[in-house]
Amino acid sequence: MPELPQTPSSSTPTTDPAATEQGRHRLDMWFDPACPWAWMTSRWVEEVEKVRDVDVHWHVMSLAVLNEGRDLPEEYRAMLDEAWGPVRVITASAQLHGEKHIKALYDAMGSRRHPGGRKDTAAIIAESLAEVGLPAELADAAGTQEWDAALRASHEKAIALVGDEVGTPVVAFDGTAFFGPVVTPIPRGEAAGRLFDGFALITSVPGFYELKRSRTAGPQFD
């Protein structure tokens, strides 16, 4: 969810290209499940997996954490307060039952919230846990700070790559990350691959920091 213009960061990438499986390029994506733009990017990443040989890893970040201490409109602050729940549940599930559940829960929650248009967060969490076969009591994590240290650690890995004047999503290619891409509608097939090729290309330029233009359309879920 775009918030502020990106500024250059001097942080050292934390994703090690040498750690990729069988020499494959590594793609990391950080998301907040509340963000519709991150959802769009995640569907693009799914398309990329079909047409390019990449090793994809999924991580949480948090708009609520990102905006702590900022003077925000009341409506947006209320949205952020509500956003703690889903990302806490995904974090708890990953910590207790394995990181494979990050993407599965994100898909289940996101499909209900974004293309589904639903806002009943408690029901979305409960249904999503059931869909992926996780214990119902994990929903309790939404209202506690028990897993916030792990959530913040994941969030900070993204921020270390791009700086804190961004939003979600953050995408890294072999350790070099940018905020975005922010895109609508979702590129499919080879169009997704060509966008990925361009993204990979700009990550290879050490001094490249930013491209941006005003958005004239909202997320088109399909």
Side-chain angles (χ1 to χ4, degrees):
M1 185 173 292
E3 288 303 318
L4 297 170
Q6 182 181 348
T7 56
S9 170
S10 60
S11 301
T12 301
T14 57
T15 302
D16 181 7
T20 58
E21 297 180 1
Q22 300 177 348
R24 299 164 68 200
H25 290 291
R26 174 168 176 148
L27 188 69
D28 290 85
M29 178 173 168
W30 284 263
F31 65 88
D32 186 317
C35 177
W37 290 106
W39 176 257
M40 300 293 288
T41 304
S42 72
R43 301 310 95 177
W44 164 68
V45 171
E46 284 189 334
E47 291 291 313
V48 170
E49 287 187 280
K50 299 174 185 177
V51 296
R52 297 293 186 270
D53 187 21
V54 291
D55 180 25
V56 178
H57 296 257
W58 301 88
H59 315 273
V60 292
M61 62 184 300
S62 171
L63 287 167
V65 172
L66 182 69
N67 287 283
E68 283 180 324
R70 294 182 178 176
D71 185 16
L72 300 169
E74 183 176 344
E75 182 178 356
Y76 191 71
R77 173 56 63 191
M79 185 279 291
L80 294 178
D81 291 343
E82 185 77 8
W84 278 106
V87 74
R88 280 171 167 167
V89 171
I90 292 175
T91 301
S93 299
Q95 293 291 305
L96 293 173
H97 299 280
E99 291 186 356
K100 65 182 180 180
H101 295 293
I102 294 175
K103 177 62 162 48
L105 267 180
Y106 182 36
D107 289 346
M109 291 180 182
S111 62
R112 289 167 169 81
R113 178 172 296 276
H114 300 304
R118 290 174 52 183
K119 302 297 183 184
D120 49 336
T121 300
I124 288 172
I125 289 172
E127 292 172 17
S128 298
L129 288 169
E131 179 179 317
V132 303
L134 286 169
E137 57 265 26
L138 282 168
D140 295 341
T144 75
Q145 298 180 18
E146 183 176 0
W147 305 102
D148 284 7
L151 167 57
R152 289 176 184 275
S154 181
H155 177 90
E156 288 303 321
K157 286 182 180 179
I159 296 305
L161 293 173
V162 295
D164 60 2
E165 294 185 338
V166 297
T168 70
V170 169
V171 176
F173 178 70
D174 285 351
T176 300
F178 288 91
F179 162 59
V182 176
V183 62
T184 188
I186 302 161
R188 303 288 185 183
E190 187 55 25
R194 289 194 299 270
L195 176 57
F196 170 76
D197 295 341
F199 182 82
L201 178 61
I202 65 173
T203 65
S204 71
V205 181
F208 185 90
Y209 291 108
E210 184 173 6
L211 279 175
K212 187 173 176 65
R213 63 174 177 167
S214 297
R215 285 173 284 123
T216 58
Q220 299 175 35
F221 306 118
D222 57 9

